[in-house]
Amino acid sequence: MGISSQDVQNALSLVKIGRFGKYSTPSLNTYIRCPLDKTLWDLKPTVGLVLGEVSDSIKPREWVTQTFERDLISLGFTVVKFVGRRNRALGILGYEETVLSTEHTVFWAPDGEEQRNALAAQTACSDSSIPASRRTSMNRFVRNSALIQKVRQAAGGVCAACGRNSFRTPSGERFLEVHHKKWLREGGEDVEANMVALCPNCHRQEHHGTERLYR
């Protein structure tokens, strides 16, 4: 998008003081979580302000909020989506703690990992310095750790995408992440032939960039 995390944070600051720009109507189910104070704000006016501030030539594409969700997550902003499209007392419509107990999915930054009802028993604004511990439901794929290690060793510290050596860890080893060429959630197999070792930057590009090198 040509937009920085600071551009988004600046827009959030405006929304927090009631400056919603062109899009003062809520998105009905999608919110962006401020990384500074963990509060939730309506995604629609936030992105609208960012687009208007950065470039008048960038326009919302028929205004579908999910168009921008991947971009925001990759910039470090967690996105929260509630089941069902309706007005909620969150973001530009004020705040009501009980809203967080309704069905929702959190897409955690920076890799978009999904977690159901992660905010169910939390408040968006808390004066407590001690984080609460909550039991949540999350679906994860169980991956073959032996194969992951084998693919990393075979790579020799070199990213398969960019061909560069990755950084060294305190143990002296080159850091690489193993990526499934065809994602597991797309039906890809957890086998060596479907795995490739990538540096963190190229790995994020595969999941959050505009183009995928591997499929």
Side-chain angles (χ1 to χ4, degrees):
M1 287 195 302
I3 290 171
S4 70
S5 58
Q6 189 59 55
D7 293 324
V8 180
Q9 192 63 57
N10 291 341
L12 278 172
S13 298
L14 293 176
V15 173
K16 288 180 180 183
I17 62 174
R19 293 179 57 185
F20 308 133
K22 300 177 183 178
Y23 303 100
S24 58
T25 56
S27 62
L28 301 180
N29 69 338
T30 309
Y31 300 84
I32 180 171
R33 195 172 191 238
C34 176
L36 301 180
D37 59 12
K38 313 306 180 188
T39 51
L40 297 180
W41 299 92
D42 200 278
L43 183 144
K44 189 172 182 179
T46 303
V47 173
L49 285 167
V50 173
L51 297 181
E53 184 70 23
V54 174
S55 173
D56 289 334
S57 64
I58 304 177
K59 301 298 182 183
R61 290 155 278 191
E62 298 180 356
W63 197 263
V64 180
T65 54
Q66 56 261 38
T67 303
F68 304 98
E69 289 167 16
R70 179 178 294 182
D71 299 311
L72 292 169
I73 292 169
S74 67
L75 288 173
F77 294 87
T78 293
V79 170
V80 180
K81 293 179 70 70
F82 286 83
V83 174
R85 292 174 55 80
R86 62 178 177 82
N87 288 330
R88 292 179 173 85
L90 284 175
I92 63 177
L93 297 179
Y95 174 69
E96 184 177 295
E97 181 178 343
T98 56
V99 173
L100 298 179
S101 65
T102 59
E103 190 76 7
H104 65 272
T105 300
V106 178
F107 298 85
W108 295 105
D111 52 12
E113 183 176 48
E114 299 180 23
Q115 189 175 7
R116 291 186 58 195
N117 301 326
L119 307 179
Q122 300 178 21
T123 58
C125 301
S126 174
D127 293 330
S128 174
S129 60
I130 303 175
S133 175
R134 297 289 183 261
R135 182 184 297 272
T136 57
S137 172
M138 187 188 317
N139 294 324
R140 293 178 182 268
F141 288 101
V142 178
R143 301 172 61 183
N144 190 322
S145 58
L147 281 181
I148 290 173
Q149 184 62 24
K150 183 178 179 181
V151 171
R152 282 202 188 104
Q153 290 176 344
V158 178
C159 174
C162 67
R164 298 188 180 95
N165 285 322
S166 185
F167 63 86
R168 290 190 184 277
T169 65
S171 67
E173 296 179 339
R174 296 283 183 181
F175 184 88
L176 290 173
E177 298 175 345
V178 175
H179 170 70
H180 285 84
K181 300 174 185 177
K182 183 176 182 180
W183 298 348
L184 297 180
R185 67 170 177 262
E186 293 179 343
E189 295 182 292
D190 192 31
V191 296
E192 187 175 356
N194 191 41
M195 297 179 179
V196 62
L198 303 175
C199 68
N201 189 58
C202 289
H203 195 189
R204 294 298 176 267
Q205 164 65 27
E206 284 300 302
H207 284 276
H208 307 297
T210 56
E211 296 182 2
R212 287 168 59 180
L213 183 61
Y214 302 97
R215 287 186 181 275

